[in-house]
Amino acid sequence: MTEHSLHLDGPEATAAAGAALAAVLRPGDVVALSGDLGAGKTCFARGLLHALGFAGEVPSPSFPIVIPYAPPELGLPLWHVDLYRIDDPEEIEELGLEEARADSALLIEWPERMGPRLWPDALRLTIDRDGPDARRLTWAAPAPWEGRWPPRT
């Protein structure tokens, strides 16, 4: 897998990148979203969820760990997962992510907490600071994502 990157000039561009992902997301997809605290992961997730039709406030799932969304509030079922508070990868099995993936897309923040349990076909995105408000979105797209990410404009 080749790594690629895109400069995001502010929160609006970060949310727009999330919205672009929404256009190609399918049930069964896994998106692994990495980045330091405050990097813009929730901003990206907000753009994705709003583009899928969610009209409400998008909270970070840091404390509940998993926030499931489903039609009619979204166009497709999606689990927004935040593994920041997971210390032992064994705890992840209890979350039911494998079962959820059967008919939902998964957006997983802090996917490195999964260790080798992260699916090899996951789209791996990383958001890093690239200036005071700017970010750099870097990705590695495995074969199932070829032709879907990045979206052709």
Side-chain angles (χ1 to χ4, degrees):
M1 278 187 290
T2 306
E3 254 191 27
H4 302 276
S5 69
L6 175 67
H7 177 80
L8 303 171
D9 195 23
E12 296 82 17
T14 303
L21 178 61
V24 299
L25 199 62
R26 303 174 186 156
D29 284 342
V30 176
V31 178
L33 184 57
S34 298
D36 292 336
L37 286 171
K41 296 182 300 296
T42 300
C43 184
F44 183 93
R46 190 174 295 125
L48 171 77
L49 285 159
H50 286 163
L52 288 173
F54 186 69
E57 183 63 33
V58 177
S60 172
S62 294
F63 289 100
I65 301 177
V66 174
I67 300 176
Y69 297 89
E73 63 183 354
L74 287 191
L76 67 92
L78 179 132
W79 281 30
H80 187 187
V81 181
D82 186 326
L83 301 177
Y84 181 73
R85 296 186 317 118
I86 299 291
D87 293 321
D88 181 356
E90 296 293 321
E91 295 175 59
I92 293 167
E93 210 167 299
E94 297 171 19
L95 298 176
L97 300 180
E98 185 70 46
E99 294 81 9
R101 188 177 180 200
D103 64 358
S104 301
L106 303 178
L107 175 62
I108 303 173
E109 296 185 35
W110 300 95
E112 53 279 358
R113 302 273 207 250
M114 292 185 77
R117 293 175 187 261
L118 181 62
W119 296 273
D121 62 341
L123 174 64
R124 296 165 190 259
L125 304 175
T126 302
I127 301 176
D128 292 304
R129 296 179 197 287
D130 198 21
D133 288 325
R135 301 294 185 258
R136 176 145 311 272
L137 177 65
T138 306
W139 65 87
W145 287 91
E146 287 177 15
R148 289 199 293 150
W149 187 263
R152 308 289 182 238
T153 54

